[in-house]
């Protein structure tokens, strides 16, 4: 599928000149992240005219006044503080070879979270913040972290905390592999799955603000900005991967493997859709 | 919020087991293999429904205990669920596009 898309886009261009009738059908297949971004953001701004744009990054709290009050009180002693501290310590502790995480990132890894996920042209794949952390570990001869919690949540919480308020600046380079990864993430987001036959969009596009059991659904716009998050239900911190896995289970489906490329692709798609909105993570949820 | 599709899946679950009487060991084994093959396909599609695995495990346990009627009905249930999940994957290969915000 990925290999097929790029030539198709090229062909669409060629055809649009030659045969206008067929070109329309082909044009519909073209991958245009910038156009998607415009319509995606406009949808949420129109649907929720009273929500300030930069407030969409606060997930369920942007949708519900009562929850918001409780949250603001909680933020005086945020439950993720411990994770930030632990993350900072891990971040600064040298590996066996003497290097640290700082050696793997631009600007020593400080204030860079808003640039993730990024498409790595040399690797030819999407690098999420979590993926970058694990690549850094393995490249330095260390054991990679679990993708769902503990050290991974701590290090990404720390890195997010150094980027708070910085606007998402995700780039989809004009490279067929990057466009294919973006499109795969988009497809994953809109595809219905599980016994309940829900897509991510069924909940986070069609029903943000509505309740599902005790929870208020977050809008898809800005939905990756607060990650990683502390959740009372988890009794601790969880990464983006952990959140996606929980959401898969909720539709009576089977989560992907934590390191499945599709989770990176959907993170890429959603974060690109949030371009311009500020990082708010790490977050705390009831 | 329950779609027509989910309802079909539920109906499949509720099909009366009594429709099948006194299944043979051979018959249940074949039904189990058929269900298992479809369930493996659903897993390869990355769209396995946990309910399929539950029914499949129940069928296996019933086979081992020699309860063939129960085994057959559980195997048929697993097969119906697996089939529905495969059809969902097939349908969504193009249907997802209709859901894109535009």
């Amino acid at each position: 599928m990925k290999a097929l898309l790029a030539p198709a886009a090229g062909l669409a261009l060629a055809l649009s000149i030659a045969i206008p009738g067929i070109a329309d059908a082909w044009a519909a297949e073209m991958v245009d992240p910038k156009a998607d971004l415009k319509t995606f953001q406009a949808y949420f701004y129109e649907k929720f005219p009273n929500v300030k744009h930069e407030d969409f990054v606060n997930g369920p709290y942007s949708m519900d006044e009562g929850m918001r009050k409780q949250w603001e009180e909680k933020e005086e002693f945020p439950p993720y503080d411990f994770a930030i501290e632990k993350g900072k310590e891990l971040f600064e502790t040298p590996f066996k070879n003497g290097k640290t995480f700082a050696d793997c990132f631009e600007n020593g890894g400080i204030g860079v979270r808003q640039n993730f996920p990024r498409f790595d042209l040399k690797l030819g794949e999407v690098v999420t913040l979590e993926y970058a952390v694990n690549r850094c570990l393995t490249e330095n001869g260390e054991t990679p972290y679990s993708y769902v919690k503990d050290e991974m949540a701590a290090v990404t919480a720390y890195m997010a905390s150094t980027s708070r308020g910085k606007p998402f600046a995700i780039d989809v380079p004009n490279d067929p592999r990057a466009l294919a990864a973006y499109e795969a993430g988009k497809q994953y987001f809109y595809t219905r799955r599980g016994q309940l036959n829900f897509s991510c969009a069924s909940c986070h596009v069609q029903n943000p603000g509505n309740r599902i059991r005790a929870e208020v659904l977050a809008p898809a716009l800005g939905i990756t900005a607060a990650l990683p998050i502390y959740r009372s239900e988890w009794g601790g911190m969880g990464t983006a991967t952990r959140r996606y896995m929980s959401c898969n289970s909720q539709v009576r489906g089977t989560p992907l493997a934590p390191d499945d490329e599709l989770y990176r692709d959907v993170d890429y798609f959603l974060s690109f859709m949030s371009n311009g909105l500020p990082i708010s993570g790490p977050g705390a949820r009831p | 919020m329950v779609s027509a599709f989910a309802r079909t899946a539920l109906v499949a679950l509720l099909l009366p087991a009594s429709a099948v009487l006194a299944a043979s060991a051979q018959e249940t084994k074949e039904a189990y293999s058929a269900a298992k093959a479809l369930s493996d396909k659903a897993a390869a599609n990355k769209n396995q429904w946990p309910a399929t695995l539950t029914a499949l495990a129940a069928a296996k346990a019933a086979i081992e205990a020699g309860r063939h009627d129960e085994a057959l009905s559980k195997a048929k249930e697993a097969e119906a669920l697996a089939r529905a999940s495969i059809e969902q994957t097939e349908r969504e290969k193009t249907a997802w596009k209709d859901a894109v915000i535009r």
Side-chain angles (χ1 to χ4, degrees), chain A residues 195-224:
Chain A
Q195 201 176 356
L196 297 187
N197 197 35
F198 279 15
S199 68
C200 312
S202 307
C203 285
H204 296 296
V205 172
Q206 273 130 42
N207 285 291
N210 290 337
R211 275 176 192 271
I212 180 163
R213 289 187 234 113
E215 296 186 291
V216 173
L217 286 165
L221 177 59
I223 203 166
T224 56

Side-chain angles (χ1 to χ4, degrees), chain A residues 102-112 115-116 118:
Chain A
D103 295 305
C104 295
F105 291 93
E106 228 175 74
N107 198 39
I110 303 304
V112 298
N115 303 325
F116 287 87
R118 45 184 287 274

Side-chain angles (χ1 to χ4, degrees), chain A residues 80-81 83-85 87-89 91-92 102 105-116 129 153-167 225 227-228 278-283:
Chain A
Y80 49 72
D81 265 359
I84 295 182
E85 260 171 56
K88 184 171 196 286
E89 194 186 311
F91 195 87
E92 289 168 354
F105 291 93
E106 228 175 74
N107 198 39
I110 303 304
V112 298
R113 188 268 178 270
Q114 71 282 0
N115 303 325
F116 287 87
L129 188 61
V155 169
T156 53
Y158 170 62
M159 291 182 78
S161 76
T162 69
S163 275
R164 271 201 173 171
K166 293 192 192 248
L227 300 166
I279 296 296
S280 55

Side-chain angles (χ1 to χ4, degrees), chain B residues 18-99:
Chain B
S18 58
V20 217
L21 285 172
S24 72
Q26 183 60 24
E27 205 182 344
T28 48
K29 270 201 191 122
E30 279 169 19
Y32 180 84
S33 306
K36 175 84 171 70
L38 286 181
S39 155
D40 288 349
K41 184 168 181 212
N45 285 342
K46 299 186 184 178
N47 189 24
Q48 178 71 278
W49 296 355
T52 307
L53 292 178
T54 306
L56 210 52
K60 189 150 189 255
I63 288 174
E64 279 159 11
R67 298 192 303 269
H68 294 299
D69 288 351
E70 183 191 338
L72 187 59
S73 109
K74 284 291 165 189
K76 296 254 184 240
E77 182 187 319
E79 185 183 340
L81 285 164
R83 198 179 296 285
S85 67
I86 291 164
E87 284 166 7
Q88 180 187 49
T89 300
E90 287 303 316
R91 197 171 48 245
E92 286 299 310
K93 277 181 183 165
T94 50
W96 71 271
K97 292 185 184 165
D98 299 333

Side-chain angles (χ1 to χ4, degrees), chain A residues 29 39-40 43 183 186-187 190-195 197-198 205 207 252-254 256 260, chain B residues 1 3 5-6 13 46-51 81 88 91-93 96-97 99-102:
Chain A
E29 299 291 326
T39 42
F40 194 93
Y43 170 87
E183 189 70 3
K186 176 176 164 185
Q187 178 171 356
Y190 287 110
T191 295
R192 290 172 179 272
R193 61 178 61 84
Q195 201 176 356
N197 197 35
F198 279 15
V205 172
N207 285 291
R252 298 207 196 148
T254 305
L256 301 171
D260 195 299
Chain B
M1 266 187 38
S3 66
F5 171 79
L13 274 176
K46 299 186 184 178
N47 189 24
Q48 178 71 278
W49 296 355
L81 285 164
Q88 180 187 49
R91 197 171 48 245
E92 286 299 310
K93 277 181 183 165
W96 71 271
K97 292 185 184 165
V100 173
I101 296 176
R102 62 188 91 236

Side-chain angles (χ1 to χ4, degrees), chain A residues 131-147:
Chain A
Y131 194 65
V133 163
N134 266 351
R135 278 188 60 82
C136 182
L137 287 167
T138 47
E139 274 167 9
N140 285 290
E142 301 284 323
T143 313
Y145 296 154
S146 148
Y147 272 101

